mmCIF file of all heavy atoms in Angstrom:
data_model
loop_
_atom_site.group_PDB
_atom_site.id
_atom_site.type_symbol
_atom_site.label_atom_id
_atom_site.label_comp_id
_atom_site.label_asym_id
_atom_site.label_seq_id
_atom_site.Cartn_x
_atom_site.Cartn_y
_atom_site.Cartn_z
ATOM 1 N N GLU D 104 81.524 119.235 74.671
ATOM 2 C CA GLU D 104 81.936 120.373 73.825
ATOM 3 C C GLU D 104 82.161 121.609 74.690
ATOM 4 O O GLU D 104 81.491 121.775 75.708
ATOM 5 C CB GLU D 104 80.794 120.736 72.873
ATOM 6 C CG GLU D 104 80.615 119.851 71.700
ATOM 7 C CD GLU D 104 79.354 120.317 70.957
ATOM 8 O OE1 GLU D 104 79.208 121.542 70.705
ATOM 9 O OE2 GLU D 104 78.522 119.453 70.662
ATOM 10 N N PRO D 105 83.014 122.518 74.263
ATOM 11 C CA PRO D 105 83.186 123.769 75.005
ATOM 12 C C PRO D 105 81.867 124.546 75.090
ATOM 13 O O PRO D 105 81.085 124.545 74.135
ATOM 14 C CB PRO D 105 84.226 124.553 74.190
ATOM 15 C CG PRO D 105 84.958 123.509 73.413
ATOM 16 C CD PRO D 105 83.959 122.431 73.131
ATOM 17 N N GLY D 106 81.657 125.169 76.243
ATOM 18 C CA GLY D 106 80.507 126.061 76.391
ATOM 19 C C GLY D 106 79.191 125.372 76.664
ATOM 20 O O GLY D 106 78.120 125.987 76.572
ATOM 21 N N ARG D 107 79.245 124.073 77.003
ATOM 22 C CA ARG D 107 78.016 123.298 77.158
ATOM 23 C C ARG D 107 77.763 122.832 78.589
ATOM 24 O O ARG D 107 76.642 122.816 79.066
ATOM 25 C CB ARG D 107 78.083 122.053 76.265
ATOM 26 C CG ARG D 107 77.928 122.333 74.806
ATOM 27 C CD ARG D 107 76.535 122.789 74.536
ATOM 28 N NE ARG D 107 76.354 123.100 73.123
ATOM 29 C CZ ARG D 107 75.266 123.707 72.664
ATOM 30 N NH1 ARG D 107 74.294 124.060 73.490
ATOM 31 N NH2 ARG D 107 75.153 123.972 71.403
ATOM 32 N N GLU D 108 78.849 122.391 79.234
ATOM 33 C CA GLU D 108 78.690 121.850 80.593
ATOM 34 C C GLU D 108 79.605 122.603 81.537
ATOM 35 O O GLU D 108 80.793 122.781 81.254
ATOM 36 C CB GLU D 108 79.047 120.359 80.636
ATOM 37 C CG GLU D 108 77.883 119.457 80.323
ATOM 38 C CD GLU D 108 78.142 118.005 80.690
ATOM 39 O OE1 GLU D 108 78.522 117.732 81.846
ATOM 40 O OE2 GLU D 108 77.986 117.153 79.801
ATOM 41 N N PHE D 109 79.031 123.000 82.676
ATOM 42 C CA PHE D 109 79.775 123.813 83.624
ATOM 43 C C PHE D 109 79.605 123.274 85.042
ATOM 44 O O PHE D 109 78.617 122.620 85.357
ATOM 45 C CB PHE D 109 79.271 125.260 83.597
ATOM 46 C CG PHE D 109 79.376 125.902 82.247
ATOM 47 C CD1 PHE D 109 78.334 125.828 81.333
ATOM 48 C CD2 PHE D 109 80.548 126.575 81.871
ATOM 49 C CE1 PHE D 109 78.435 126.398 80.071
ATOM 50 C CE2 PHE D 109 80.648 127.153 80.604
ATOM 51 C CZ PHE D 109 79.592 127.072 79.705
ATOM 52 N N VAL D 110 80.606 123.594 85.868
ATOM 53 C CA VAL D 110 80.437 123.423 87.306
ATOM 54 C C VAL D 110 80.613 124.792 87.952
ATOM 55 O O VAL D 110 81.575 125.508 87.658
ATOM 56 C CB VAL D 110 81.450 122.421 87.894
ATOM 57 C CG1 VAL D 110 81.506 122.540 89.415
ATOM 58 C CG2 VAL D 110 81.069 121.001 87.493
ATOM 59 N N LEU D 111 79.660 125.115 88.811
ATOM 60 C CA LEU D 111 79.738 126.339 89.604
ATOM 61 C C LEU D 111 79.963 125.949 91.058
ATOM 62 O O LEU D 111 79.264 125.067 91.573
ATOM 63 C CB LEU D 111 78.409 127.102 89.500
ATOM 64 C CG LEU D 111 78.180 128.214 90.543
ATOM 65 C CD1 LEU D 111 79.074 129.421 90.259
ATOM 66 C CD2 LEU D 111 76.700 128.619 90.569
ATOM 67 N N THR D 112 80.944 126.576 91.693
ATOM 68 C CA THR D 112 81.112 126.384 93.136
ATOM 69 C C THR D 112 80.993 127.740 93.814
ATOM 70 O O THR D 112 81.517 128.740 93.332
ATOM 71 C CB THR D 112 82.467 125.751 93.479
ATOM 72 O OG1 THR D 112 83.508 126.571 92.942
ATOM 73 C CG2 THR D 112 82.596 124.353 92.912
ATOM 74 N N VAL D 113 80.304 127.741 94.953
ATOM 75 C CA VAL D 113 80.039 128.975 95.700
ATOM 76 C C VAL D 113 80.283 128.729 97.175
ATOM 77 O O VAL D 113 79.882 127.683 97.702
ATOM 78 C CB VAL D 113 78.563 129.417 95.496
ATOM 79 C CG1 VAL D 113 78.179 130.514 96.483
ATOM 80 C CG2 VAL D 113 78.322 129.856 94.063
ATOM 81 N N SER D 114 80.949 129.664 97.840
ATOM 82 C CA SER D 114 81.042 129.649 99.299
ATOM 83 C C SER D 114 80.763 131.051 99.814
ATOM 84 O O SER D 114 81.263 132.028 99.247
ATOM 85 C CB SER D 114 82.444 129.209 99.761
ATOM 86 O OG SER D 114 82.674 127.858 99.435
ATOM 87 N N CYS D 115 79.959 131.146 100.877
ATOM 88 C CA CYS D 115 79.697 132.464 101.472
ATOM 89 C C CYS D 115 79.093 132.281 102.856
ATOM 90 O O CYS D 115 78.836 131.161 103.280
ATOM 91 C CB CYS D 115 78.742 133.278 100.586
ATOM 92 S SG CYS D 115 77.140 132.527 100.337
ATOM 93 N N ALA D 116 78.903 133.396 103.548
ATOM 94 C CA ALA D 116 78.198 133.332 104.823
ATOM 95 C C ALA D 116 76.763 132.895 104.545
ATOM 96 O O ALA D 116 76.161 133.299 103.553
ATOM 97 C CB ALA D 116 78.224 134.700 105.504
ATOM 98 N N ASP D 117 76.251 132.056 105.431
ATOM 99 C CA ASP D 117 74.911 131.521 105.207
ATOM 100 C C ASP D 117 73.857 132.576 105.534
ATOM 101 O O ASP D 117 73.925 133.234 106.558
ATOM 102 C CB ASP D 117 74.699 130.277 106.101
ATOM 103 C CG ASP D 117 73.539 129.429 105.616
ATOM 104 O OD1 ASP D 117 72.997 129.712 104.531
ATOM 105 O OD2 ASP D 117 73.174 128.476 106.320
ATOM 106 N N ARG D 118 72.914 132.763 104.647
ATOM 107 C CA ARG D 118 71.753 133.613 104.927
ATOM 108 C C ARG D 118 70.644 133.219 103.957
ATOM 109 O O ARG D 118 70.873 132.457 103.006
ATOM 110 C CB ARG D 118 72.116 135.092 104.788
ATOM 111 C CG ARG D 118 72.793 135.442 103.483
ATOM 112 C CD ARG D 118 73.215 136.894 103.443
ATOM 113 N NE ARG D 118 72.243 137.668 102.696
ATOM 114 C CZ ARG D 118 72.566 138.739 101.950
ATOM 115 N NH1 ARG D 118 73.818 139.161 101.887
ATOM 116 N NH2 ARG D 118 71.638 139.401 101.293
ATOM 117 N N ARG D 119 69.475 133.741 104.190
ATOM 118 C CA ARG D 119 68.357 133.382 103.328
ATOM 119 C C ARG D 119 68.518 133.934 101.926
ATOM 120 O O ARG D 119 69.030 135.039 101.752
ATOM 121 C CB ARG D 119 67.050 133.912 103.919
ATOM 122 C CG ARG D 119 66.361 132.850 104.768
ATOM 123 C CD ARG D 119 64.991 133.344 105.160
ATOM 124 N NE ARG D 119 65.107 134.397 106.152
ATOM 125 C CZ ARG D 119 64.120 135.218 106.458
ATOM 126 N NH1 ARG D 119 62.954 135.121 105.828
ATOM 127 N NH2 ARG D 119 64.286 136.146 107.377
ATOM 128 N N GLY D 120 68.074 133.183 100.916
ATOM 129 C CA GLY D 120 67.990 133.730 99.572
ATOM 130 C C GLY D 120 69.110 133.348 98.623
ATOM 131 O O GLY D 120 69.044 133.665 97.431
ATOM 132 N N ILE D 121 70.116 132.643 99.109
ATOM 133 C CA ILE D 121 71.252 132.320 98.235
ATOM 134 C C ILE D 121 70.822 131.444 97.060
ATOM 135 O O ILE D 121 71.099 131.744 95.897
ATOM 136 C CB ILE D 121 72.374 131.610 99.029
ATOM 137 C CG1 ILE D 121 72.848 132.489 100.196
ATOM 138 C CG2 ILE D 121 73.542 131.271 98.108
ATOM 139 C CD1 ILE D 121 73.786 131.754 101.155
ATOM 140 N N VAL D 122 70.147 130.345 97.386
ATOM 141 C CA VAL D 122 69.761 129.385 96.343
ATOM 142 C C VAL D 122 68.833 130.061 95.330
ATOM 143 O O VAL D 122 68.979 129.873 94.113
ATOM 144 C CB VAL D 122 69.092 128.146 96.963
ATOM 145 C CG1 VAL D 122 68.476 127.251 95.878
ATOM 146 C CG2 VAL D 122 70.113 127.347 97.787
ATOM 147 N N HIS D 123 67.912 130.859 95.836
ATOM 148 C CA HIS D 123 66.992 131.557 94.931
ATOM 149 C C HIS D 123 67.754 132.490 93.993
ATOM 150 O O HIS D 123 67.490 132.534 92.786
ATOM 151 C CB HIS D 123 65.966 132.335 95.758
ATOM 152 C CG HIS D 123 64.848 132.888 94.931
ATOM 153 N ND1 HIS D 123 63.979 132.076 94.228
ATOM 154 C CD2 HIS D 123 64.466 134.163 94.680
ATOM 155 C CE1 HIS D 123 63.106 132.833 93.588
ATOM 156 N NE2 HIS D 123 63.381 134.107 93.837
ATOM 157 N N ALA D 124 68.705 133.201 94.541
ATOM 158 C CA ALA D 124 69.466 134.160 93.722
ATOM 159 C C ALA D 124 70.322 133.443 92.674
ATOM 160 O O ALA D 124 70.315 133.800 91.490
ATOM 161 C CB ALA D 124 70.349 135.025 94.628
#
Side-chain angles (χ1 to χ4, degrees):
Chain D
E104 283 175 48
R107 287 292 179 190
E108 272 194 53
F109 302 90
V110 165
L111 165 72
T112 57
V113 168
S114 293
C115 60
D117 198 8
R118 52 184 261 213
R119 266 188 288 164
I121 302 170
V122 170
H123 190 62

